Amino acid sequence: MPAKEYVGLSQINGPLIFIQKPTNVGYNEVVEIMIRNEKRLGQVVQISDQMAMIQVFEGTNGLTIDKTRVKFLGKPLMIKVSDEMLGRIFNGIGQPIDNGPEILTGDSRDMNGSPINPVSRMYPRNFIQTGISAIDALMTLIRGQKLPIFSGNGLPHNRIAVQITKQAKLKGEEAGNFAIVFAAMGIKHDEANFIRESLEQSGAIKNTIMFLNLADDPAIERIATPRVALTAAEYLAFDKNLHVLVLLTDMTNYCEALRELATARGEVPSRKGYPGYLYSDLASVYERAGMIKDRNGSITQIPILSMPNDDITHPIPDLTGYITEGQIVLNRDLNRKGIYPPIGVLQSLSRLMKDGIGKGYTRDDHPHVSSQLFASYSRVQEVKALASIIGEEELTDSDKSYLRFGEAFENEFLKQGEDEDRSIEETLDLGWKLLGYLPKIELTRVSEKEIADHYKEIKEI
Amino acid sequence: MDKTGEMYFINGPVVKAKKMTGFMMHEMVLVGNVKLTGEIISLEGDDATIQVYEETTGLKPGEPVSGTGDLLSVTLGPGLIGSVFDGIQRPLDVLKAQSGDFLERGVIANALDMKKAWDVQMPNVKNGDQVVGGQVIATVKETSSVIHKIMIPPSISGIAQNVKSSGKYTIDTSLMTVTSDDGDHEIKLYQRWPVRIPRPYIERLAPKEPLVTGIRVIDTLFPISKGGTAAIPGGFGTGKTVVQHQLAKWADADVIIYIGCGERGNEMTEVLEEFPQLIDPRNGKPLMERTILIANTSNMPVSAREASIYTGITMAEYFRDMGYNVALMADSTSRWAEALREISGRLEEMPAEEGFPPYLASRIGDFYERAGRAKVIGDDQRIGSVSVIGAVSPPGGDFSEPVTTGTKRFIRCFWELDRQLANARHHPSINWLDSYSEYTSELKAWVSKNVDEKFYNMRDRFMQILTEDDTLQQIIKLVGEDVLPDGQKLIVRVANMIKVGYLQQDAFSDVDSNCQLKKQDEMLKIILNYYDRANKLVSKGVVVSEVLDDDIVNTIMRMKENIPNDKIEAFKDVETKINEFFDQLDKKYQVSVEA
Ligand SMILES: Nc1ncnc2c1ncn2[C@@H]1O[C@H](COP(=O)(O)OP(=O)(O)O)[C@@H](O)[C@H]1O
Ligand SMILES: [Mg+2]
């Protein structure tokens, strides 16, 4: 059926255009918009017998009511997926921008994907060693997990993400056994360049597909970017059996684009002007991670978002945390103290670690050590608060030992080099060493046997 | 006969159709050429608004909407137990067989296996007998844990004819014909029931027995009854899902219905992989043999999420009607409320608070009111119960939002999860000061009789110590612990013993994941005995450091991990050890031991 073309619009409003009395147009179908010789893409976001409402990915700048031509393509936004995409760079809606050829071979896939049937999923249990102590010991990354980084302006989330991509490996495997899909939404050129150059240096670039929508690219396009990227990732993981690491950055810009669109549509907002369906919308992105029974690949997602005003209760980090399998929260105070990576461990969490650590996975004592480090470091915060009121000298001996432990924990355990790749054994041993600052009776989370095997009290100097 | 209307508007899961005169409110309809399942949610003149339970991409104005003549209903019969359904009761394994690892649209699947032949026992009813709604006419051993009772559907009564004898039958077989005033009814192994209408019962009964959960902070401090209602509110990562999973594993109910409502796919997978391996402590059978899962995860269609809790509670009522104690977990009711909000927003209804529709609270109320302990219909005075435990996910962890406050009005147990505790990895992070249970007085008689007369006394003393500790903690924050008098220092230390050695309970521990009431009782006794003996010395002027012996404290802190449920007698040793320790101190300081 030849696609029907319409000339002229009835209305243009922000990112939306409207066409009167469309016939045979489906909800969500993709639309080609022509103005002069320029072609743009859009999508039907509401349809009735009277009117089609279309969001234009590249924005409505320069469109006219009378001359704009619109063609309905009768299918949702599809992208071509194939192996040829590895090593290539695309824009936010999947068109090549590296002067290379169009992707010609391969399957066309709906960028929205379909939900994985919960009974088809395989529960992820494989420990990924990132070489970063805080992560490996306390918020362990599991293959097939979605584990976001909650960051803020000026914090080193990109450096951490790059360090993870460089060092990530399964026990007994080489690093770099991943394909990488990198989706940028509204980030600065410098940031995108930093990530690209780092991947070039490590040689990972040939196994990487990049989708770039940068700060000066059209905002509405960002709504498609993570979906396009995940469509490619699903192909690599579930058709080609690759382990795929997907970096999505910055989800905050994505959400803002969604808000812009919702506002233009005149929808009833919920918190902070974001649409009521933000949770479901984010879930349709984040849930495209995981493993499937009888297929060998996996999708591990590391979305990055910046918390507006460092506020973790802001709807974007909040709803993200409700969907993802944990979060790595960066902390400005630690960053100010010069601690890299500045991971605020108490607010961070990996929900999947409980099934991927310990006996048969990492080391027997891992679950208890991590629980003990959390509990003790949490006590450090209370002692610090007290010390700031009554003075350190007035603290009990036990409380003083917490201060020493806290100091060492931040400077020896959290802090490490950007190229420093610690094995899980080194990390756990280091944890035990620091627990030596605390009296034995305080260690209620580890077993008596583990204490006998690993604990060595550090006497005051 | 078949009514057909015409779609003219599509916005996400909401579509509108015209030429709809003659359709029923809440009728199930098939939408578009691909026949997506939907439900009519409003009728106005010739127009209907429909919520569609599947992704609406590609639907076009002009496509047909056809009626089914049925309200949105579930199929109730043998085969429910052990199954995983989506929000509108399509079995996910059947969907997988039809469309693969990714969910496709427009797939129609029978809720129950129509081909499987069940061993049906029909000992009681003979031709010519009078039967009434709710009467059990046959039984089927559905799994090793559950005897499925085939009942006459609620509204039918009359004379039984054509009664089959025991044998192997598929669920579509007519077991008898019941002749009543309004004609003949075939009674099959299954019945259908509309999900939005509560199933009838004879009489609501007061709570009496606890739903034992194996979680100490719940069973001891904030117990729930069989037939009770509870809410678990908490920000992300505070432990709602783990508590719900623990309840599904260890609660002493006959049937568990677990609804994953708008949450993670992997959490359902986890249950599916774990439960067949885990052993039901009541009977030694795999836990999956008493469990039904409803999985409408966050990325599945939002309106089916709205339906999922009704699908679940209707199944719960059905097993209640057999005389069983059913426990239903819904994780998370906030996602259900948000689904209501999303649909309401697309209908352009006038919102009340935070975009939620004004009828939010009454819908929450309707749902929780379907819980309860009841004398069920039928001829033999059965009693059954439905307990409902709903997780609530307040935005930003702020408990003043509409879903939390709306829920609080209708539940009687409030297990408030605390961000601070969760960050310190004190789990379950149920706050012991702000949580409450309204069932304690009603359950006291049962616990006194079946566990220990002093159980609730000891519970009250725990609460008292924790409350005093809270006051003392305010002082400590300002001036440190050192300045407290020794008597108060002891309270702080004992409170710490209660928090670390009793309330904190690792869900993933082999020994401590499930703690039975007898063990809880022993632990209460040990801690309070320690406190009383220590207090006696301290109040006589003995310095507190004398009673805080490392070895004794360590023994108390670790008893939860060191003594399993089936070695309760080992608590005697702990008791003896503590008593010997204090006997010695008493002698040293010459405090006489009173009887
Ligand atoms: N009782 C518990 N014992 C041990 N760990 C727990 C317990 N409850 C929660 N946790 C930890 O907290 C994490 C988050 O819990 P979860 O129930 O998924 O939170 P929520 O559903 O509130 O987001 C879990 O992955 C686990 O690591
Ligand atoms: Mg949860």
Side-chain angles (χ1 to χ4, degrees):
Chain A
M1 186 169 37
K4 186 163 178 193
E5 193 172 289
Y6 292 76
V7 181
L9 310 173
S10 73
Q11 192 191 334
I12 304 177
N13 178 2
L16 300 173
I17 59 174
F18 296 78
I19 295 199
Q20 224 153 18
K21 298 230 181 254
T23 49
N24 202 27
V25 170
Y27 179 67
N28 261 347
E29 84 176 52
V30 73
V31 179
E32 243 173 47
I33 298 140
M34 250 83 62
I35 181 77
R36 291 168 289 272
N37 288 324
E38 187 201 340
K39 189 165 92 181
R40 300 183 193 179
L41 282 182
Q43 187 180 12
V44 176
V45 291
Q46 184 173 313
I47 176 79
S48 72
D49 48 1
Q50 299 302 313
M51 189 79 79
M53 185 196 283
I54 298 161
Q55 70 181 34
V56 184
F57 288 119
E58 292 91 338
T60 50
N61 240 342
L63 296 188
T64 62
I65 290 278
D66 58 334
K67 295 267 169 50
T68 305
R69 285 173 298 142
V70 171
K71 203 154 78 182
F72 292 91
L73 301 186
K75 54 177 194 209
L77 188 59
M78 309 289 275
I79 73 155
K80 272 240 159 66
V81 289
S82 87
D83 300 355
E84 290 169 40
M85 298 174 87
L86 287 167
R88 301 285 309 275
I89 305 177
F90 303 86
N91 70 4
I93 41 178
Q95 298 157 337
I97 50 170
D98 55 0
N99 301 319
E102 291 282 331
I103 302 295
L104 295 172
T105 60
D107 265 9
S108 274
R109 300 262 166 101
D110 177 354
M111 70 157 184
N112 294 303
S114 293
I116 302 178
N117 186 329
V119 304
S120 289
R121 282 184 184 270
M122 184 162 82
Y123 194 73
R125 296 174 195 274
N126 291 322
F127 159 67
I128 296 176
Q129 180 178 300
T130 66
I132 298 172
S133 289
I135 297 177
D136 291 349
L138 304 174
M139 58 210 78
T140 319
L141 179 63
I142 302 291
R143 190 149 80 181
Q145 185 172 18
K146 37 190 180 291
L147 187 62
I149 301 179
F150 288 8
S151 187
N153 302 324
L155 295 177
H157 45 265
N158 289 326
R159 283 153 62 198
I160 297 171
V162 162
Q163 188 170 4
I164 293 174
T165 59
K166 275 193 203 157
Q167 298 180 172
K169 56 177 161 293
L170 291 199
K171 233 183 169 181
E173 282 185 15
E174 291 291 295
N177 197 9
F178 282 97
I180 297 170
V181 172
F182 174 67
M185 291 150 282
I187 64 171
K188 298 187 282 279
H189 284 258
D190 292 353
E191 290 180 90
N193 283 340
F194 167 76
I195 290 176
R196 197 186 58 225
E197 280 164 18
S198 308
L199 294 175
E200 274 167 3
Q201 275 164 22
S202 70
I205 197 81
K206 60 181 189 303
N207 286 324
T208 301
I209 312 178
M210 300 189 114
F211 296 92
L212 302 181
N213 166 287
L214 300 182
D216 52 359
D217 289 329
I220 299 303
E221 188 178 286
R222 277 165 215 163
I223 294 172
T225 308
R227 296 189 163 80
V228 169
L230 284 161
T231 304
E234 280 170 356
Y235 168 78
L236 296 177
F238 303 129
D239 288 42
K240 293 288 150 183
N241 293 326
L242 296 176
H243 295 296
V244 187
L245 192 65
V246 180
L247 299 177
L248 306 169
T249 176
D250 180 327
M251 288 305 290
T252 300
N253 297 330
Y254 167 85
C255 294
E256 278 172 3
L258 210 61
R259 176 169 65 178
E260 185 181 334
L261 187 68
T263 311
R265 293 175 63 172
E267 290 172 343
V268 182
S270 71
R271 284 171 72 214
K272 299 222 156 121
Y274 290 92
Y277 51 80
L278 183 60
Y279 175 84
S280 301
D281 186 278
L282 284 172
S284 74
V285 171
Y286 296 141
E287 277 286 317
R288 292 173 80 175
M291 303 182 78
I292 295 181
K293 278 181 209 154
D294 304 320
R295 303 200 195 206
N296 291 325
S298 63
I299 296 180
T300 307
Q301 262 191 38
I302 305 190
I304 298 172
L305 59 86
S306 40
M307 299 182 279
N309 286 319
D310 293 346
D311 176 10
I312 197 167
T313 69
H314 183 281
I316 298 171
D318 190 49
L319 295 179
T320 297
Y322 272 119
I323 302 163
T324 53
E325 285 146 347
Q327 65 279 340
I328 298 173
V329 184
L330 302 191
N331 179 300
R332 202 168 288 283
D333 289 337
L334 290 172
N335 191 54
R336 231 176 256 133
K337 284 194 215 165
I339 289 168
Y340 172 92
I343 297 176
V345 301
L346 295 179
Q347 290 183 302
S348 301
L349 168 71
S350 163
R351 292 163 192 269
L352 297 187
M353 72 186 280
K354 63 186 168 57
D355 299 291
I357 63 170
K359 202 175 174 123
Y361 296 99
T362 53
R363 203 170 81 182
D364 297 17
D365 55 321
H366 188 168
H368 288 165
V369 180
S370 88
S371 174
Q372 185 66 60
L373 288 169
F374 275 120
S376 302
Y377 188 56
S378 151
R379 175 83 189 129
V380 169
Q381 312 309 312
E382 288 169 27
V383 174
K384 272 188 185 164
L386 181 59
S388 70
I389 296 171
I390 64 172
E392 261 181 55
E393 302 73 36
E394 300 298 316
L395 294 177
T396 61
D397 286 346
S398 158
D399 282 352
K400 282 182 188 149
S401 74
Y402 274 102
L403 285 189
R404 285 195 301 276
F405 164 77
E407 192 73 14
F409 180 80
E410 288 174 5
N411 288 310
E412 295 175 42
F413 191 86
L414 288 187
K415 188 171 180 172
Q416 70 183 84
E418 260 173 83
D419 292 314
E420 190 180 346
D421 187 359
R422 296 183 190 155
S423 74
I424 184 66
E425 287 79 13
E426 284 174 79
T427 289
L428 293 175
D429 289 344
L430 184 56
W432 274 109
K433 184 185 142 201
L434 303 185
L435 289 174
Y437 284 104
L438 300 175
K440 186 153 66 175
I441 185 75
E442 294 291 314
L443 307 184
T444 56
R445 302 289 180 98
V446 287
S447 74
E448 284 164 314
K449 178 168 184 312
E450 285 159 349
I451 290 182
D453 290 349
H454 301 281
Y455 173 76
K456 220 167 132 237
E457 186 163 6
I458 300 173
K459 292 283 177 209
E460 215 177 329
I461 350 92
Chain B
M1 263 300 286
D2 276 1
K3 302 180 300 285
T4 308
E6 183 186 316
M7 204 169 10
Y8 70 87
F9 169 93
I10 302 134
N11 179 3
V14 171
V15 310
K16 293 185 183 176
K18 52 195 179 195
K19 304 183 189 159
M20 296 292 286
T21 304
F23 281 74
M24 289 183 289
M25 182 67 174
H26 291 305
E27 179 169 349
M28 206 158 121
V29 292
L30 298 175
V31 177
N33 297 325
V34 282
K35 296 197 186 307
L36 307 181
T37 306
E39 181 187 4
I40 295 181
I41 54 174
S42 89
L43 284 167
E44 201 184 327
D46 198 31
D47 285 8
T49 306
I50 299 158
Q51 61 176 348
V52 183
Y53 292 122
E54 301 178 76
E55 190 37 64
T56 51
T57 294
L59 290 187
K60 293 173 181 170
E63 288 187 28
V65 172
S66 53
T68 62
D70 237 352
L71 299 179
L72 182 69
S73 301
V74 286
T75 306
L76 302 165
L80 287 169
I81 305 279
S83 294
V84 193
F85 299 104
D86 75 356
I88 51 171
Q89 213 203 5
R90 293 182 302 182
L92 289 175
D93 52 348
V94 176
L95 297 190
K96 179 181 174 181
Q98 291 189 24
S99 67
D101 292 331
F102 294 87
L103 292 166
E104 301 287 333
R105 301 180 305 154
V107 180
I108 310 266
N110 284 320
L112 300 177
D113 188 341
M114 305 303 277
K115 296 215 182 75
K116 178 164 176 167
W118 298 90
D119 226 326
V120 182
Q121 297 299 318
M122 302 197 54
N124 295 327
V125 183
K126 300 181 298 298
N127 282 329
D129 283 359
Q130 168 80 27
V131 293
V132 298
Q135 182 171 340
V136 177
I137 54 154
T139 59
V140 170
K141 193 160 170 59
E142 185 173 358
T143 66
S144 61
S145 299
V146 177
I147 306 279
H148 196 113
K149 300 178 185 168
I150 311 293
M151 297 170 290
I152 303 283
S155 55
I156 296 175
S157 66
I159 306 297
Q161 310 280 4
N162 307 326
V163 178
K164 286 235 166 36
S165 47
S166 299
K168 277 190 134 347
Y169 303 116
T170 60
I171 64 169
D172 210 20
T173 314
S174 172
L175 295 176
M176 61 182 63
T177 312
V178 173
T179 309
S180 64
D181 301 344
D182 61 344
D184 285 359
H185 305 271
E186 301 297 332
I187 308 298
K188 300 181 171 179
L189 273 77
Y190 74 89
Q191 47 181 286
R192 302 258 305 157
W193 191 264
V195 298
R196 296 187 196 278
I197 299 175
R199 286 173 66 87
Y201 50 81
I202 293 174
E203 184 190 359
R204 283 285 277 270
L205 303 172
K208 200 174 118 207
E209 233 185 90
L211 180 74
V212 180
T213 67
I215 303 174
R216 281 188 293 271
V217 57
I218 293 177
D219 291 342
T220 304
L221 297 188
F222 312 110
I224 178 174
S225 71
K226 292 203 169 85
T229 49
I232 316 175
F236 63 81
T238 51
K240 298 179 292 299
T241 303
V242 173
V243 170
Q244 296 267 42
H245 280 193
Q246 288 295 95
L247 290 171
K249 286 177 193 167
W250 311 132
D252 65 339
D254 302 307
V255 174
I256 298 285
I257 297 179
Y258 191 97
I259 310 172
C261 176
E263 295 283 311
R264 302 176 185 85
N266 275 333
E267 289 173 349
M268 302 315 289
T269 312
E270 186 181 0
V271 173
L272 279 173
E273 289 187 12
E274 250 188 14
F275 276 37
Q277 317 295 331
L278 288 174
I279 297 304
D280 184 343
R282 298 170 314 135
N283 59 14
K285 307 288 193 244
L287 275 177
M288 204 61 205
E289 308 268 286
R290 65 157 186 183
T291 308
I292 301 172
L293 289 178
I294 297 171
N296 218 96
T297 57
S298 57
N299 55 339
M300 285 160 74
V302 65
S303 29
R305 193 187 298 168
E306 193 272 334
S308 66
I309 69 160
Y310 297 104
T311 297
I313 195 112
T314 308
M315 292 179 187
E317 289 172 338
Y318 174 66
F319 282 98
R320 172 204 68 194
D321 290 350
M322 296 179 203
Y324 288 129
N325 293 309
V326 184
L328 176 143
M329 289 99 215
D331 186 12
S332 158
T333 60
S334 293
R335 305 304 164 219
W336 161 77
E338 285 161 11
L340 272 188
R341 174 171 70 187
E342 178 169 347
I343 306 290
S344 160
R346 302 212 189 230
L347 293 172
E348 297 178 359
E349 292 176 335
M350 185 64 92
E353 263 178 287
E354 299 194 12
F356 286 105
Y359 46 80
L360 172 70
S362 66
R363 293 282 172 89
I364 296 175
D366 291 345
F367 171 66
Y368 281 104
E369 275 304 302
R370 291 175 74 170
R373 183 163 161 268
K375 190 193 283 176
V376 301
I377 59 169
D379 57 337
D380 61 353
Q381 307 279 320
R382 294 184 307 268
I383 291 175
S385 70
V386 174
S387 313
V388 173
I389 300 109
V392 181
S393 316
D398 171 8
F399 297 130
S400 66
E401 56 90 40
V403 183
T404 315
T405 54
T407 302
K408 251 181 148 164
R409 289 163 48 193
F410 303 106
I411 48 88
R412 297 187 60 197
C413 273
F414 193 68
W415 300 327
E416 184 184 294
L417 301 187
D418 183 304
R419 167 66 61 196
Q420 229 72 49
L421 292 176
N423 281 357
R425 268 57 174 178
H426 173 111
H427 287 298
S429 69
I430 295 174
N431 182 303
W432 46 85
L433 297 171
D434 296 335
S435 302
Y436 60 80
S437 162
E438 294 175 4
Y439 295 111
T440 41
S441 55
E442 284 152 310
L443 299 177
K444 192 167 183 170
W446 190 94
V447 174
S448 299
K449 179 156 171 276
N450 293 282
V451 188
D452 180 351
E453 227 173 304
K454 298 221 180 65
F455 193 91
Y456 274 165
N457 277 342
M458 295 193 287
R459 173 217 180 255
D460 294 344
R461 292 194 61 201
F462 260 40
M463 283 307 287
Q464 208 178 339
I465 294 170
L466 290 167
T467 312
E468 280 178 47
D469 170 70
D470 182 55
T471 317
L472 296 174
Q473 291 296 338
Q474 311 296 332
I475 301 172
I476 293 174
K477 274 200 191 109
L478 294 175
V479 292
E481 193 180 323
D482 262 359
V483 299
L484 295 181
D486 274 18
Q488 297 188 341
K489 272 188 196 145
L490 180 65
I491 291 178
V492 169
R493 289 318 174 95
V494 172
N496 189 50
M497 251 175 220
I498 294 175
K499 293 179 213 166
V500 177
Y502 194 87
L503 300 179
Q504 192 185 304
Q505 188 177 357
D506 184 355
F508 311 112
S509 156
D510 293 332
V511 175
D512 201 33
S513 178
N514 172 17
C515 182
Q516 291 172 2
L517 284 180
K518 289 278 181 217
K519 178 171 164 186
Q520 301 188 22
D521 186 49
E522 295 296 334
M523 292 176 68
L524 284 165
K525 284 194 261 187
I526 299 267
I527 294 175
L528 287 171
N529 178 42
Y530 170 86
Y531 176 55
D532 290 338
R533 298 207 58 174
N535 197 30
K536 188 173 291 162
L537 285 162
V538 171
S539 60
K540 294 265 159 67
V542 177
V543 290
V544 72
S545 58
E546 275 282 47
V547 299
L548 292 172
D549 175 77
D550 273 7
D551 183 36
I552 292 294
V553 172
N554 205 31
T555 306
I556 295 176
M557 295 283 212
R558 291 180 187 280
M559 64 187 172
K560 61 178 180 180
E561 286 287 351
N562 287 341
I563 304 178
N565 288 313
D566 56 4
K567 295 250 158 43
I568 296 292
E569 61 290 351
F571 281 105
K572 271 272 161 294
D573 303 340
V574 176
E575 192 191 329
T576 312
K577 180 171 172 176
I578 293 171
N579 281 336
E580 279 169 3
F581 167 74
F582 279 112
D583 289 348
Q584 231 177 349
L585 277 186
D586 284 349
K587 205 180 284 162
K588 182 167 159 195
Y589 293 101
Q590 291 178 338
V591 180
S592 67
V593 188
E594 284 136 49

